Amino acid sequence: MVFFKKSVSPSLLAEHEQILSLFKGCDVNNDGKLSKDEVKAGIRRLQSRFPGFITQRAFKVADKNGDGFISEAELDELVDYVLDCYEGSVALRLTK
């Protein structure tokens, strides 16, 4: 199942560091952890067809301590999950 739009231009292939930076930039209150809304905003910037669904699944994978936030220590798990979602479908495209 493809969770991201197939019409996304493959011109920008995002690496782990770019996705990490994208999510760090979504921490609007600068508390060092990501809420569900902040993660969903990041998923939207990746042009997901189903940002709510991807966010829910991402929290099941990445929120290891179950506190409802993605901490700095859990951020790599989130990025890996997002990259796995894209694998085999389309290149990642970041939007502003």
Side-chain angles (χ1 to χ4, degrees):
M1 175 183 272
V2 176
F3 297 117
F4 298 92
K5 297 177 184 175
K6 289 189 177 201
S7 63
V8 174
S9 170
S11 63
L12 179 59
L13 182 62
E15 299 291 329
H16 187 273
E17 291 302 316
Q18 289 174 300
I19 302 299
L20 186 64
S21 177
L22 175 135
F23 281 115
K24 285 183 177 182
C26 290
D27 183 13
V28 294
N29 58 0
N30 294 315
D31 62 355
K33 56 188 177 182
L34 297 172
S35 68
K36 287 186 180 178
D37 287 338
E38 291 169 332
V39 171
K40 192 173 183 179
I43 300 293
R44 279 192 179 122
R45 289 191 57 198
L46 294 170
Q47 299 183 358
S48 169
R49 287 185 179 176
F50 309 106
F53 177 74
I54 296 294
T55 300
Q56 286 180 333
R57 302 247 338 191
F59 267 80
K60 287 183 180 179
V61 170
D63 184 15
K64 298 296 185 188
N65 63 5
D67 67 352
F69 294 93
I70 302 297
S71 67
E72 186 79 25
E74 298 165 328
L75 199 49
D76 281 332
E77 289 288 330
L78 172 64
V79 173
D80 289 344
Y81 173 75
V82 169
L83 290 172
D84 285 347
C85 286
Y86 275 103
E87 188 175 79
S89 59
V90 295
L92 297 175
R93 176 147 169 80
L94 304 175
T95 60
K96 293 183 181 181

